[in-house]
Structures are given as structure tokens and as C-alpha cells.
Amino acid sequence: MDQIRDVVNKLKAPIPDLPTLLALISGPLDSIGLLPPHYGQYNTAPLPVAVNISRHVPPIQRALLEHVIPTWEIVLSQEKLTSLVEQWFIPDAFSYAKPAAGEVAVHAYAAILSLPLTSYSMNLLARLTKAYPLDRLHSRVFSLRDAHPSPSQSIFEWEDVVKSILSVPARVANALEGKGECPKELEQGPYYSQISLRSEALFWKLSQEQADESMPSITYLLTKLVNIGAFPTSKPTSPSQYSFFLSTLPTIRARLSKGGNAATLYSAFWATILESSPSSFTLQSILTSLFAHISVPDAPLDPSPPSRALVKREATLLLGIIGRLSEGKQYVLDSTSTAMLARDWSEGHARVYACWAAGATAGAIDTKAVSAFLTPTLNIWTSPEHIKHSLLGRHRYLTLLFLATISYLPNSSATLRDLALSGPFIRGIGTYIGHLDPSVRRCGMLVAEEVAHRSGKELDFKDWDGDDGGKPWARDVRQLLGHKDVDVQITGSSEELVVEEIIEENAFGPPDESSQMSQSFVSPPEDYDSDDSLIGYAAPSSRSPSPTLSELAEVEKDPSLRVGKVKIVPPVYLAQLGEMIRGTSGLKTGQESQEVEKVEIALNVGLHNNYDLDGFDVKRQAALNALVACCPQKAAPAAVEEFFKNQYSTDQRYVILNALALGARELACLPLPETAAVQPLTGDRVSFPSKRLPGVQHQGYLLVSSTRQVQELLRDAARLAIENTREANADRTPDLVRERQLRIRQPSKVTEVRQPSTVQLLEQLRISQTRSASIKFTDVAVECFLYPLMNRFWLFLRDEQTREERTAHRDILNQYHSAGTGLILNALVLSHFLATLGVLVHASRNAPAWISVVAPDALELAVTLGTRPVSRAHEDEEESGGESGSAADKNARVLTTALELALVVLDTCVELDGGRSLSLEHTALLLAAGEWAQELFALLEKGILIKGGGGVAEVRLRKAAAGVVIKVDEVSERWKRSMIDFTTY
């Protein structure tokens, strides 16, 4: 071995001439059998001993890179002998098949990367990665049986090769430091894309060889690819990003679509790879990336045959890579369920997952796999945390996934019957029906109807007509589930889908007579819940059916029943109106039947709908609005006083607050948006859900229907405040201003002019008369609206907390709680109270005393209700345990309206005096508001769930919190030098 050591030393030392250099290079090269024949003339000093490649080649390669090439590169290039030197790193095509060539290439990676990279070595590395890719090196490492008698030695060498290969882009980038030009092949995106392609080619080769002993090397390679980010959770959007499945999925799909024994072996090899993953994290990363790269229909609910064929094609792809749910290991099934259910996928993904779970084969539904997949889906879908806090997109994804999965089960199957009677499912439906977001609520209603229908029961909520609250989405889902995606036949290539739909007679349609459940008693499962809130709607009754409205109208028109009936004259004076409503003169004989008609004709004001009159709510609200607008000095304080009395229901309190807010805006000559206009109700309002639900859920519906007007007004005011903040920041950058103007400015459009109805004309006339009145809202806003409302609330809160303290020593059943259901301090009523106050504060911003009196007091009320408990029960909850603090213990509705009220106050202060008065005279209050909003926003960013959040409510809360933080920062930044003791607060 002294001869080899002597060659290395001579290469490191100064070489006198070119022939000596060529002899030193050619001798060892010829000894390992890699000297090209046309270079044989330079081998003037052949070595008498054999060269050990693994021991002797790396020192020679480093000597060439460090000493020979920097000195002799130009001379070798002029003499066209560069290829002879590079034979030590990239053996040519004539030597490619020799075992020594692969081993030399393996050591070449390590030698090049062990030294500082130069322009020459980077180009050499780029050519090496192309000539000797990953799969070629794997074959060489595991073919050295003589050199590595122990399999573990081959694994160790393979790990070194993988580490070297995967570190190339980072090493090149560090060497260049952004100053030089990187070879295209070594850029991060193209390089890892090529690595992905060669890895897939290696998988195919090993699958056909059925080389199960090579599985540890493959799992190690995939683990390293996961660690470097080759399996992203979404498709890359720039060339510098890379993705394994983005590069390889077309090839994988083509190999699996060919069929035959080769495709079967390839599919089995992929299943073995997933089962051999060393950790659940690695497996979930691979599966999540795979799911992110499959194709889904552009219109997720498109029921057309091409869309169904696309869904089935992708389901077949998952079947070929992952296998059947009913045949794989539990370890893989758990990771697969987690990857599908833990992320917010699209509705198109839900269709693919359900089709894959069913087996992706028409006529051979894997019901066992469907049932197994249904269990984790049901657990997530019925989770109270998911129902209360998830956004609408996730609700729709899981709902469609659940419905598409059960659509593959036979009608009235045992799984469906057990599902319909299971306690978790029934409780989940009840929680969904109680949700305040109508779009989320209808997800649960839709599932309830479909499960009942599939189980042979009858259930119809009769609330699906219209375009609001997720109704169009529910109709599209029903149409989609009319047939199954798996029943589409695909012919032709994978790029050009030619489909033929197979229509079954009973595909998600009405069950036939044979599938109807027997009327005999069937014992429910052990987890059956006796709650009949769901099935009570379809309960049979021995009573004869009630007449419909059309039948009653026909009876009313019968002339034989109207003999002797006296026409009631509408009232002219207020005394006549009061007499018709209260009946002070008593009822005369034979006139009892006229009482209902008297009330209906005389109804302009009132709080009780004793006769279920049509349009009662609209007339009552319109009358109170007009009363407040026309007589604000007397009506507004009286309405405030009545609001705090304990004799009214929640709905009646809403009416009072709505009258204060809408009447004030009308008096202030402010326009009312469409959502705040008083419009007749359409449809059967009392059939479902309002008067057929338990009390708590009934209040929830009243919140949505009765508070929408004021909530929309406050939301618009808060949105305007946020836009004002954006405009203030945009003015600092002229480019942003121009871009914003170009984006906001819309071209004029041709619109249809409709003639207003008589009712609308009368309403406009009344509003114009009110606006022409001598009383201005700015003159009465503080005295008659704002301070009666705020002062009376503080007194009410003091009295309620005093009552709680007086009963605190009693047992829990006899303690008084001021925030119970239906009370003013309940989250539903309190949030609407804050919304009303916000509308009044916004409408009165031009009042003389607004900046000095209204602003600080309203902001203090918002901060107090947003941070402090209003009931002793809330204090007990905080002491007992929430780690998140008082902000997270508050209800999301209360927090949102309180933040929006604060945002309106801050924005108006900035508009009036730049925030000077609030900053200099109420510094502590201003900073407290900012600290409160900042803490709450930080909690939301950490993922902490707020009570009553989820759906649209959570998005609105985030916007309000962020708006207050930005607005406080804007005001503080302007006046912080003039604030007293700014740093101490």
C-alpha cells in the first residue's frame, strides 16, 4: 500500500510536468478498471498492487480537488485531457455498467462536499447528480456483497449517501452566499424534484424485484425527505418550492393505471412502505401531502359525470397507494383518519375520501371499510368543540364527508339504524340545531334528515327554500348524493376522462317497502339516548290532522257562515284605538268572534301576540320605531326604563332595544341598510324552528331573527372604522392609495329602477316628516338616549350583584344568579344591549358633549363588560380554574360587541380631535382598552377557544380585536409624548 500512499503524496506536492501528472492519474485508474482505452498511452508507471476503492479512492479524489485541478485546470483544458481527471469522479458511459464506477461515484459525492465548493466543483457536482442519480447509487451500495458481508454496513453507507445527496442545495447556497450563479441542476426546486423522480423510479424497480430486504433503506430515505420538507401540506406555488408528489404523482398514476401483475406489485410495495414508516409523524406527513396533491373538481358539489369520474380516478389512486381501509394495519388506518379529519380539506376531498373508503369499485362496495371509516368521522362531527368553534368551511367539509360515507351503506342497514339511535349522534344533532349560525345549523339539520331517511324514518324540517343561511348548499348536497361517484365507469387515458354513469334505481332515493323498518319493537343499543328532541317531529298521533291555511281560507269565504257579521270600522282617535285593544267597554253578546279582527285592525303598538296574527312582529317593531323617532324626549327614557323591568321576555327586550337604535338613526337622518329595514316576514315563521324547540334553543333563534338589524348596523360601523384605519395608513404610501382607489372605484352599471309599493311610499313619507321635525337627535342623544341607558345599566348591575352577594352564603340551589337564561345579563341580551349602545354612540357623534362625556363613559362600559365578570357565577368559574383568564371566559358575542363598541368610540375620537381628549384626559382607560384587545387577540392566535365562538362569530371577533389594537396604537403613537406617566401604565 506504500505505492498508493506515494501517489497521493505526489499529487499533493508540486508536479514538475504534464506527463508526470498523467502517469499519476492513469496508474491507479487502470488498477480499478476505469481507465478509458484511448488514455492507455499515459499509463507509463502502472501500479503493481490492486487498489482498494473504499480506502484509496477518497484520498486521491480530495488530492485532485485541492491541489491538481486548481493548478492544472487550464492546461488540462487546453490539451483536452479534463475528462481523464474527471474519470475519478464521473466515470464515462463505457464504464457505467462496471461495479467500480458506481462505487467511485458514491465516494465522489462525499469528497466534493467535504471541501469548500468552487465554481469547478459545483459544475462537477451538477454533472455527477445527473449521471449517477439516487437509484443508481442505491443499486451500487446494496450490490457490494463482498465488501459488506453484514447488511448493517450497507445501511450505514446508504445513510451517508442520502445525507450527502440531500445536503447539496444547502451547501451550494452557503458557498455562493448570494453572490454567484448557481447551476440550474443544483437549485433547490429542480434538484429535489429530480431526487423525487429518481426515488420513485427506485420504488418501481424494487417492487418488480420484490426486494423486501431493502425496505429499511427506503424508510430511511422517506424519513429524510420528510425532514427536509419534500412532503408539504399544500401544493407549491413557486419554482423554488418542491414537493415529492407534485413531481411523481403523474408517474405513479400512470404505473397504477396500466394494471396487471406489475401494477399489483407496485401497489403492494407502496402499502409496505407506509406500514414500515418509523413514526406516526412521518406517516401523517406523507399522507397529508398526498391528499393535498390529488385533484378535486373545481366545483366541489358538481354532480356531472366528468366530475364524478375525476373523483373516482383519484379514489382509485389512493386505493393503489394506501390500499383498502379494511385490509391495512391499524397503525396506517389511524394515521390516515388523522390526516383526513384533523385538517380543513375541501368538499371535493370529502368526495374522494368517501369513494376511496367504499373501495372505488362499482358494485363491490366495501361496507366493512365504510363502517370503520364512519366511526372516527362521527366522533369529530358530533364533538361539541367542533360544533361550537369550527368555521363554516370545516363544518361543510365534515358534513359532506359524513353524508357521502353513509351514502355507500345500504338503506336501513344495521350500521345506519345504530347510528340513528346512538346517543352521541342525537346529542350532536341537538347541539347543531342550537347553533346561532344558520349555515352551521343547517349542516346538522341536513344530516338529521338524511340519516332518518336512510334509516326508514320520516323527518322534514321544512326550512330549505330560499337563498339564505346555507340553503343553496344543502340543496346542492342533496342533488350530489342522488347518485354515487363510485358508480361512474371510466374509459380512456387518465388525462382524457370518458365516463359512463350507472344509475341505480334506489341510489340514495326513497327506500322501497322491503327496506322499511319493521314496526315491531327493536331493542336500542346500549348507548341509546332517550332524548326524543329529534324523533319527536315524526311521532305518530291519534288525533285527526289540523286543517291547513288554505282550507281555513276556503271556510272563511263560505257566505253561509258570514250572515249577520258586522264590518268593523277602523279607529279614528286614540281613545277608540285603546278601547279596541283593551276592550274597556266590555264585549256585547254575539260580538266575541269580532275581538280578533278588532285587535288585528287596531294593532299599531303592543307587546303580546295573543291571537297569532300575521305580521304582528313587523307592526309592533315599526310602531315602536315611529314612537321613539317622533317623540324622543318622552318615549326614549320610558323605553329605557321599561327595558330594565323584569316583566318582559327576551324577545320583547329585543324590540325595545331595536326601537331605540332604529328610531335614533331615523331621527338623526341616517340611512338604514337593507338588512335593517322593517320588512314583512315570509314563510311559516312559527312552524320551525322557533316555537317548537326548547326554551334555550328558542332564544337562540330569536337572537338571529330579532337582533339582525342592530347587529348589522354595529358591524357596518366597525367595518367603517377599520377601513378608516386602512386609509390612514395607506395615505402614507401614495402607491397604496392609488392602488386602493383603482380597486375600490367601480364602473357605473345599469340598474333596474323599480317603483316603490304603497307601504314603502308611506314609510318614506313618515320618515321625511320625522326628519323635518324641529327636534334634532344631537340635541336629545345624550340626555334622552345614551345616559338613561348607561346610567340605568350601572344601577341595574349594582343591584343584581348586591342580590347575588346577599344569597351567596346559601346552598347552590337557593343562590340568586343574575346572568341566567332570559335575563338582561345573559350573554344574548347583553350583547344586543352593547350593540344598541354602539349604534347610538355612532349616531350621536356630532353631539356637543360627545367627545368629553360620551366617549370615555362608553369606552369604560365596553372595557368593563369585556374584562370583568357581571355575575358571581362567572367569578366562581374563573377562580375554579380557567388558565386562559377572564378574557377567554367571556362569551364571544359579548366580547365582539364590546370590542366593536370600543372601536366605534376610538374611530370617532380620531375623526373629531385626533384622539387628543381621550389620550390626554383618559390615558389609563385608553391603554387599558389596548391591553385588553391585545391580550384577547394573542389568545385567539394561540388557538384558545372562546365560549360561543365558531363559524362567522370567530372571524368577526378576530377582526374587532385587531381593529382595537391598531386604533389604540394609532392614537397612542400620535399623543404619547404628551401623555402623563405613559410608561407607568
Side-chain angles (χ1 to χ4, degrees), residues 624-637:
L624 288 180
N625 294 352
L627 185 62
V628 172
C630 295
C631 189
Q633 294 171 317
K634 295 182 179 180

Side-chain angles (χ1 to χ4, degrees), residues 186-197:
L186 300 184
E187 291 181 0
Q188 183 172 264
Y191 182 82
Y192 285 124
S193 297
Q194 185 66 20
I195 290 292
S196 300
L197 289 172

Side-chain angles (χ1 to χ4, degrees), residues 54 136 161 166 198 223 260 325 415 432 458 510 518 546 604 660 671 695 734 883 896 898 909:
S54 61
R136 174 70 173 88
V161 170
L166 297 185
R198 302 316 305 178
T223 301
L325 279 172
T415 302
Y432 259 108
E458 293 183 3
S518 174
S546 301
N604 288 317
L660 290 172
E883 295 181 359
T896 301
C909 288

Side-chain angles (χ1 to χ4, degrees), residues 60-131:
I60 295 176
Q61 290 175 334
R62 287 193 296 270
L64 291 174
L65 290 172
E66 284 186 290
H67 303 282
V68 175
I69 293 177
T71 305
W72 293 90
E73 180 182 2
I74 298 177
V75 176
L76 292 172
S77 177
Q78 292 175 350
E79 299 294 331
K80 298 182 180 180
L81 295 172
T82 305
S83 59
L84 177 60
V85 180
E86 293 178 351
Q87 190 74 2
W88 279 102
F89 302 94
I90 314 174
D92 56 16
F94 296 99
S95 307
Y96 186 83
K98 296 180 180 180
E103 194 169 1
V104 167
V106 168
H107 294 296
Y109 277 100
I112 295 174
L113 295 175
S114 64
L115 300 173
L117 292 177
T118 62
S119 177
Y120 179 85
S121 62
M122 283 189 288
N123 291 326
L124 189 65
L125 190 60
R127 294 165 51 201
L128 177 63
T129 58
K130 185 177 181 180

Side-chain angles (χ1 to χ4, degrees), residues 761-779:
L761 291 174
L762 293 175
E763 184 74 10
Q764 294 174 2
L765 177 62
R766 183 179 65 80
I767 293 176
S768 63
Q769 291 175 349
T770 303
R771 292 177 176 177
S772 63
S774 58
I775 299 177
K776 296 181 179 180
F777 179 66
T778 54
D779 298 333

Side-chain angles (χ1 to χ4, degrees), residues 25-42:
I25 295 176
S26 303
L29 203 59
D30 182 60
S31 178
I32 60 177
L34 295 182
L35 181 65
H38 57 280
Y39 290 130
Q41 56 180 325
Y42 302 117

